[in-house]
Amino acid sequence: SQQGEEDPQALSIQEGENATMNCSYKTSINNLQWYRQNSGRGLVHLILIRSNEREKHSGRLRVTLDTSKKSSSLLITASRAADTASYFCATGEANAGKSTFGDGTTLTVKP
Amino acid sequence: KAGVTQTPRYLIKTRGQQVTLSCSPISGHRSVSWYQQTPGQGLQFLFEYFSETQRNKGNFPGRFSGRQFSNSRSEMNVSTLELGDSALYLCASSALQGTNEKLFFGSGTQLSVL
């Protein structure tokens, strides 16, 4: 089964609103990353947060990590139609040497 | 710098055939990973190569294999294709071994098995 589970599976909002998506994982991690994927294309790295960090910002993105709850959230503020995409969390597992991806959240931003 | 390049972009094969997919990583990246993406199973890790050696392998049958050349380019081969192999195959490169850090993805090869 996948390491990460994302919630919600789908999210539809109006332009200008904030979008929050959550990721839960099962094992110890070195870091957690968020990626964006436009339909049928490759994934684009958005942000990485290390296991000893609690919050990180990048432009309109804010990521939090709670290792005690094994969960992370991605907040996109002031969303735009161009943010419409699928968003995946990926965990860099300790001693596993690979990143494991969640099932993704499909975000639709309506103009 | 050029990004990760995957060829071909689309491929149609029939059951029983074999297929080879190609991936050229970002210049200077020595780690190449392969993922299979399907609507039902999501992104599944296939394997990772670093300096021409397979370092990690996912839970896929032996029909799935790969290799990496001295210039870091990688190929993935699937033999005796099955309908369930229809998927988007994504290649990702990284400057570091172990793919625990930032991955740079290609646009993928969409494989359809008829």
Side-chain angles (χ1 to χ4, degrees):
Chain A
S1 63
Q2 293 289 78
Q3 158 78 311
E5 294 183 4
E6 289 166 73
D7 168 59
Q9 286 188 326
L11 182 59
S12 181
I13 59 174
Q14 294 292 137
E15 213 167 24
E17 294 180 338
N18 295 341
T20 299
M21 47 205 92
N22 304 295
C23 169
S24 61
Y25 57 92
K26 298 173 184 174
T27 63
S28 294
I29 61 171
N30 289 333
N31 61 66
L32 188 142
Q33 306 151 60
W34 286 90
Y35 289 81
R36 183 188 73 228
Q37 183 181 35
N38 290 92
S39 182
R41 309 295 291 183
L43 282 75
V44 175
H45 185 271
L46 295 175
I47 194 167
L48 179 150
I49 186 166
R50 300 192 185 282
S51 58
N52 61 353
E53 297 176 309
R54 291 296 168 258
E55 188 172 311
K56 204 160 183 180
H57 297 254
S58 177
R60 295 183 296 113
L61 305 179
R62 172 178 168 253
V63 171
T64 61
L65 179 64
D66 187 334
T67 53
S68 66
K69 294 181 180 178
K70 290 187 168 58
S71 68
S72 173
S73 67
L74 171 67
L75 168 67
I76 304 173
T77 60
S79 63
R80 306 165 182 168
D83 294 329
T84 295
S86 292
Y87 291 81
F88 294 86
C89 67
T91 52
E93 298 161 37
N95 303 318
K98 64 180 177 71
S99 294
T100 304
F101 286 81
D103 294 329
T105 293
T106 300
L107 172 66
T108 302
V109 182
K110 300 174 184 176
Chain B
K1 258 188 187 178
V4 177
T5 303
Q6 289 188 248
T7 57
R9 182 73 179 93
Y10 300 96
L11 206 50
I12 299 175
K13 292 286 187 179
T14 56
R15 278 182 299 176
Q17 288 187 309
Q18 74 165 19
V19 66
T20 300
L21 312 181
S22 179
C23 172
S24 294
I26 289 173
S27 178
H29 284 191
R30 294 165 63 192
S31 172
V32 174
S33 301
W34 289 90
Y35 288 82
Q36 181 197 64
Q37 186 177 28
T38 59
Q41 297 296 316
L43 274 150
Q44 301 280 337
F45 173 77
L46 281 155
F47 28 65
E48 184 219 358
Y49 286 86
F50 184 85
S51 294
E52 302 178 64
T53 302
Q54 188 180 90
R55 302 289 181 171
N56 289 289
K57 189 177 191 301
N59 295 324
F60 277 82
R63 300 186 297 107
F64 292 81
S65 63
R67 58 178 176 169
Q68 186 179 34
F69 302 96
S70 58
N71 62 357
S72 294
R73 190 177 71 85
S74 177
E75 288 182 347
M76 191 193 95
N77 186 76
V78 187
S79 62
T80 319
L81 284 166
E82 300 177 359
L83 296 178
D85 297 332
S86 294
L88 179 66
Y89 289 87
L90 293 164
C91 164
S93 76
S94 171
L96 301 173
Q97 180 194 343
T99 67
N100 265 330
E101 300 281 333
K102 183 176 181 178
L103 295 173
F104 294 82
F105 281 85
S107 295
T109 293
Q110 184 67 55
L111 172 65
S112 296
V113 182
L114 306 178

